[in-house]
Amino acid sequence: MNLSLITNEFSLQYPQYKQQGLDKPQLNYDDIAQILEQHRNNSLFNFSQLGESTLGIPIWQIEIGTGDERILAWSQMHGNESTASAALMDFLNFLASEQQAAWCQQWLSKVKLRIIPMLNPDGAARASRLNAMSMDINRDASALQTPEGQLLMQAAKNFKPAFALNLHDQSRFYAVGDSNKTATISLLAPAFNVAKDINAIRKKAMQLIGDMHDLIQYELPGHLAKYNDTYSTRSFGDIFTGMGISTILIESGAYPKDDNRSVARKLNYQLLILSVQSIASQAYNKQSLAVYDSIPYNRKEAIKDVLITNLSINLQQHQAKVDLAIEFKKQNQAEIVEVGDLSVYSAFHCFDASGLDYQSGKAYPLTTALNLDDAAYIALLSQGYSHFTGDSNLLQVKTSLPVSINGPSSGPTTPELNQAAVFLMASSEGVQFAMLAGLLVNLTTGQLVYQRGT
Ligand SMILES: [Zn+2]
């Protein structure tokens, strides 16, 4: 289709539609409720309450347009996946703007769109994938025991959409095929049977994905992947496809130095505009399935948070030069997750440790009060200490560098899996770098080599 408007004009205009206050990793009900309230009286939007979550939080739906071709879009059925909820708010701002009145008039007379922003507000409140009953709503499409899953099924049966957009977030560790690029968007036209047959319904979803591919290849070349289409009897995408709804899974993923996924968020906004336009004009009909086939698969665990390469290790006279993969965990922790030849991976942060030896850090015993400012800390790290033991009340932490208390008396001789990422790296002239909870400190400059995050 002709993507020039969506890729140029609408892309340039995006900052004026981008909803303020949503640039954070997790959105909850209050974040979107006030924005929905601002749009409630707009005659373009028909608001109604679809129902309520397990714990009684409202789940809203908004209908837009008067046409025959129906599109159902929902976000955040996994409560900790909020990128598309933000994009839906941007999209509503776009539709509501006077500047886009002509666009809306042209396309919204041909389609009817129903949006359900944040299907799982209970999970959102706890930053959890699951609903309040600890069930995965997207594994409940067949059993339909969750109130939220029941509501989604009810919406699909009442509204009878031709197309459905199932909006999620995916792991930051996915790469696009064999490349070292992050999968910033991944798409799927789910199968409706084990044989993964392509009928007319699924074909339409694949063709619309072809249009989406063209847009993303223009905006962010190389960062689009697709999911494996193994049939899942419990997932909404697969069940909906089987019900005759051309369903597309859109997963927002990571991009370097973009912890809040604003790159994927903007692409979602563009994909929503594209979907309306392509479905309204039936432009997708012209897409060849070869485009869908050409999209590389997601490669799992291919991107690491941190890769330390060429680090010398030595265990009972066995010497090796290894790469270490380190993963950031919750509560500002980090762990070593892989050791060896990791040259098939890439990372958000890479550090070449050529010429450096792994050195386990000693525990510094706290027996008297210690005023731990940056200079004192760097001095201790340089002397081979990496953490503290004893009475933590004696430690006055005045440094912003990560501090570990009450670890083992000394770390393992060589790096081990699931070991806390707290160790030292030394040259023949002594300790040069300290790895502190996944962050690397250059002991000569006292500076962090990179910041936590992507
Ligand atoms: Zn999800």
Side-chain angles (χ1 to χ4, degrees):
M1 68 180 299
N2 182 358
L3 294 169
S4 58
L5 256 184
I6 298 167
T7 50
N8 296 322
E9 193 179 327
F10 294 162
S11 174
L12 289 172
Q13 290 168 353
Y14 177 65
Q16 75 191 72
Y17 304 124
K18 185 177 179 181
Q19 175 63 46
Q20 301 298 306
L22 302 183
D23 195 10
K24 44 190 179 181
Q26 174 67 43
L27 302 185
N28 59 34
Y29 178 73
D30 289 342
D31 288 311
I32 65 156
Q34 45 184 315
I35 299 156
L36 295 178
E37 201 52 47
Q38 289 163 17
H39 288 301
R40 189 174 294 271
N41 294 324
N42 188 324
S43 59
L44 203 58
F45 302 137
N46 183 10
F47 275 77
S48 60
Q49 190 173 339
L50 173 62
E52 56 184 39
S53 68
T54 307
L55 298 181
I57 301 179
I59 298 169
W60 296 102
Q61 57 187 358
I62 306 128
E63 276 188 24
I64 310 148
T66 54
D68 293 332
E69 200 72 348
R70 297 183 169 205
I71 310 167
L72 177 67
W74 65 94
S75 70
Q76 221 168 334
M77 74 191 308
H78 292 141
N80 59 346
E81 301 176 6
S82 50
T83 302
S85 295
L88 284 173
M89 299 302 110
D90 303 337
F91 181 58
L92 292 180
N93 291 345
F94 167 85
L95 296 174
S97 101
E98 279 180 25
Q99 232 181 313
Q100 301 306 336
W103 187 91
C104 288
Q105 210 159 18
Q106 185 179 3
W107 302 116
L108 295 181
S109 60
K110 299 192 174 70
V111 299
K112 186 178 257 188
L113 186 61
R114 187 187 283 195
I115 290 172
I116 305 169
M118 197 177 287
L119 183 67
N120 180 9
D122 296 343
R126 296 178 302 153
S128 163
R129 173 181 175 90
L130 310 173
N131 85 337
M133 301 153 95
S134 293
M135 282 195 270
D136 185 334
I137 298 166
N138 206 25
R139 301 292 179 271
D140 191 39
S142 176
L144 289 176
Q145 298 203 81
T146 58
E148 299 85 359
Q150 291 166 2
L151 289 170
L152 181 59
M153 183 57 79
Q154 179 196 316
K157 287 189 168 164
N158 291 344
F159 188 58
K160 299 185 177 62
F163 283 88
L165 304 176
N166 183 9
L167 308 172
H168 290 255
D169 273 74
Q170 66 182 357
S171 163
R172 66 185 182 277
F173 303 130
Y174 287 177
V176 176
D178 292 330
S179 81
N180 59 10
K181 288 185 169 171
T182 55
T184 306
I185 295 285
S186 294
L187 302 170
L188 172 70
F192 62 90
N193 63 7
V194 174
K196 307 185 213 177
D197 290 333
I198 300 173
N199 62 2
I201 299 298
R202 191 170 178 222
K203 182 181 172 193
K204 281 163 64 177
M206 289 173 158
Q207 287 176 306
L208 183 55
I209 287 177
D211 278 359
M212 294 177 170
H213 160 275
D214 294 349
L215 183 144
I216 294 167
Q217 285 304 91
Y218 179 89
E219 292 283 334
L220 202 66
H223 286 274
L224 173 67
K226 84 178 165 221
Y227 266 82
N228 172 308
D229 63 351
T230 303
Y231 178 59
S232 163
T233 55
R234 301 179 296 162
S235 303
F236 273 94
D238 307 60
I239 298 264
F240 279 0
T241 306
M243 285 164 55
I245 305 167
S246 301
T247 305
I248 295 177
L249 173 71
I250 302 180
E251 296 264 0
S252 294
Y255 189 75
K257 302 204 175 4
D258 182 35
D259 285 336
N260 297 334
R261 303 199 171 177
S262 45
V263 174
R265 173 179 164 184
K266 183 187 169 196
L267 288 171
N268 268 265
Y269 148 90
Q270 290 178 284
L271 291 175
L272 289 162
I273 297 172
L274 173 141
S275 297
V276 169
Q277 203 166 307
S278 182
I279 292 168
S281 63
Q282 303 211 339
Y284 64 86
N285 262 331
K286 301 188 189 79
Q287 276 285 358
S288 134
L289 292 188
V291 179
Y292 183 85
D293 289 338
S294 76
I295 302 172
Y297 284 105
N298 267 336
R299 182 161 60 104
K300 290 185 175 183
E301 303 296 334
I303 312 271
K304 306 295 179 184
D305 282 325
V306 180
L307 270 180
I308 305 291
T309 55
N310 302 308
L311 180 66
S312 295
I313 62 171
N314 190 341
L315 185 63
Q316 300 196 349
Q317 278 105 49
H318 294 285
Q319 292 186 350
K321 243 186 204 182
V322 298
D323 308 323
L324 302 184
I326 292 169
E327 189 173 315
F328 296 132
K329 302 287 188 181
K330 286 184 178 158
Q331 275 97 39
N332 287 327
Q333 302 295 304
E335 283 179 9
I336 296 174
V337 291
E338 205 165 340
V339 180
D341 173 2
L342 309 186
S343 54
V344 296
Y345 304 137
S346 59
F348 296 109
H349 309 287
C350 294
F351 178 78
D352 183 357
S354 293
L356 295 169
D357 295 312
Y358 172 90
Q359 182 175 318
S360 70
K362 297 179 291 183
Y364 183 87
L366 292 163
T367 51
T368 56
L370 177 61
N371 183 24
L372 192 70
D373 59 14
D374 282 348
Y377 197 17
I378 299 287
L380 287 177
L381 294 166
S382 301
Q383 290 164 42
Y385 297 103
S386 64
H387 57 289
F388 299 86
T389 52
D391 183 358
S392 59
N393 292 323
L394 293 171
L395 195 64
Q396 290 173 34
V397 177
K398 301 274 176 63
T399 175
S400 57
L401 299 172
V403 176
S404 301
I405 299 169
N406 290 331
S409 57
S410 91
T413 312
T414 55
E416 292 179 355
L417 289 202
N418 307 119
Q419 170 195 339
V422 178
F423 58 85
L424 305 169
M425 293 189 275
S427 70
S428 55
E429 280 150 36
V431 182
Q432 304 296 320
F433 291 88
M435 174 62 72
L436 302 173
L439 295 183
L440 191 58
V441 186
N442 180 332
L443 298 180
T444 308
T445 63
Q447 302 295 310
L448 287 176
V449 176
Y450 51 81
Q451 301 293 324
R452 202 178 156 94
T454 61

